[in-house]
Amino acid sequence: MPELPDLVIIQERLVQELPGEIIQAIEIVDPIVVRNLTGGQSENSFLNLPFEGLERNGPFLNFQFGSKNLVIHPMLAGRFSLDPKYKKKDLCVRIRFQNKVLNYADDVRMGKVYFTEPEYYNQIPKYTDQGINLLSDEFTEEEFLNRLNKSRQQTRAFLMDQTKLSALGNAYADEVLFDAKIHPKTPCYKLQEEEKKQLYLSIKTILTNSIEYIRKKQAPLDVKVRDHVKVRNRKNEPCPRCGTTIRRANVLGHDSFFCPNCQRMAGEQFIDWNKTY
Ligand SMILES: [Zn+2]
């Protein structure tokens, strides 16, 4: 579930909750999600280490404990919870501190929890080849256009390419394309100059607004806040802009939701089958 805006809020909350905490126990409930990249030390080498910080690198959260790191890649379904009584079946790893408990849960077991150190980061798939941080000052229009103009990908695939932009997932890729009125399958090289600039602005606007929305909502950490999205998972609902029925299409193996009227392919004749003339 967590995409960039969710992870920003999870990071903000945990950074308030965990300072001063020292690891008392590590419970690995389902070892299938755990990877030990410490050069042969056991996970117990993390015991008694203090929480020293939490950073986000694209879709990863990196917890610093002394010179060691707990890197979590929640993928599609990973969730975090601070509930000390968390007992659901999706619980995978529980870290106990003196006063707090951090649970990592994942009902499809696609995410990963890495016990590691910086010298082993290159063994974490995708960790060291993340592209530009979309929330950083380096993400300028010029940098964006540089990357976009070199791409032969379909626009949606480009947006989700973490080696270029770090990092948009399925939900926010759809929202950005809807905001920019671009069909998900449009090849990057077919975008007009104004569309490219709009795409850049839409990334900034959608991310900023979504982060603010989720922050205000103050939902429990493990609850997905998605009621603000306009097209994602809204197949057969009316487009909030024009009323046309939202469609779902497969774009290179990913489900994509879009408005066939607002987001037309260049040169495409749109036939609205819902209308009776
Ligand atoms: Zn529309």
Side-chain angles (χ1 to χ4, degrees):
M1 78 107 173
E3 292 202 18
L4 191 150
D6 309 306
L7 287 173
V8 168
I9 301 305
I10 291 169
Q11 180 192 17
E12 284 179 6
R13 300 268 285 272
L14 292 179
V15 159
Q16 287 168 15
E17 297 281 346
L18 297 179
E21 295 291 333
I22 292 170
I23 298 182
Q24 303 294 296
I26 297 165
E27 295 167 28
I28 297 176
V29 182
D30 193 338
I32 200 153
V33 302
V34 173
R35 296 288 179 276
N36 183 321
L37 303 173
T38 55
Q41 304 164 66
S42 112
E43 288 91 35
N44 287 335
S45 61
F46 281 66
L47 292 176
N48 302 315
L49 295 179
F51 172 80
E52 286 180 355
L54 173 57
E55 285 173 5
R56 185 185 61 84
N57 173 26
F60 299 89
L61 287 182
N62 183 336
F63 299 77
Q64 288 124 54
F65 294 104
S67 61
K68 296 178 189 288
N69 300 74
L70 185 73
V71 174
I72 302 186
H73 189 192
M75 295 288 288
L76 292 182
R79 290 167 195 274
F80 297 87
S81 158
L82 292 164
D83 178 359
K85 293 186 183 133
Y86 194 93
K87 271 196 210 121
K88 292 181 199 159
K89 275 200 311 236
D90 59 359
L91 179 64
C92 292
V93 176
R94 173 175 278 159
I95 311 278
R96 287 189 187 278
F97 303 95
Q98 308 103 301
N99 309 302
K100 300 268 159 81
V101 168
L102 175 66
N103 304 294
Y104 174 72
D106 188 340
D107 60 358
V108 293
R109 274 43 175 180
M110 272 177 76
K112 291 279 176 291
V113 176
Y114 299 93
F115 289 85
T116 188
E117 294 170 12
E119 64 178 295
Y120 301 104
Y121 285 169
N122 58 4
Q123 293 180 37
I124 302 175
K126 298 185 181 172
Y127 191 85
T128 51
D129 59 3
Q130 288 291 310
I132 197 156
N133 177 354
L134 296 178
L135 299 183
S136 70
D137 293 341
E138 286 94 68
F139 181 57
T140 60
E141 186 187 87
E142 191 187 359
E143 261 306 315
F144 174 72
L145 294 176
N146 273 341
R147 284 155 204 252
L148 182 67
N149 288 332
K150 282 185 205 141
S151 175
R152 304 288 293 170
Q153 290 160 299
Q154 294 180 352
T155 307
R156 192 175 192 277
F158 168 77
L159 290 178
M160 289 185 65
D161 183 343
Q162 289 176 18
T163 65
K164 292 177 182 137
L165 308 178
S166 175
L168 288 174
N170 278 301
Y172 288 101
D174 282 351
E175 294 301 303
V176 165
L177 288 166
F178 176 74
D179 191 67
K181 300 187 183 174
I182 294 170
H183 190 285
K185 291 187 181 180
T186 311
C188 292
Y189 61 84
K190 282 201 176 165
L191 294 171
Q192 307 292 314
E193 287 311 307
E194 313 84 75
E195 288 179 312
K196 293 177 184 177
K197 290 185 176 177
Q198 181 56 54
L199 193 55
Y200 171 75
L201 288 177
S202 292
I203 294 173
K204 307 242 332 165
T205 312
I206 293 291
L207 289 180
T208 309
N209 292 351
S210 301
I211 290 167
E212 267 175 40
Y213 183 86
I214 298 169
R215 186 183 287 129
K216 275 201 194 125
K217 195 95 177 175
Q218 296 194 323
L221 213 53
D222 61 327
V223 170
K224 171 158 84 171
V225 177
R226 282 291 156 76
D227 50 349
H228 60 301
V229 301
K230 296 200 166 83
V231 287
R232 185 70 193 169
N233 289 331
R234 295 202 186 276
K235 187 184 172 213
N236 295 335
E237 291 182 31
C239 164
R241 203 155 42 202
C242 75
T244 303
T245 304
I246 291 168
R247 276 192 207 158
R248 182 176 65 192
N250 189 296
V251 182
L252 302 173
H254 296 277
D255 268 344
S256 170
F257 296 80
F258 65 102
C259 170
N261 183 38
C262 295
Q263 298 166 262
R264 298 192 199 183
M265 283 279 254
E268 180 190 58
Q269 266 286 22
F270 173 67
I271 301 160
D272 188 350
W273 298 103
N274 298 319
K275 274 197 183 135
T276 45
Y277 292 93

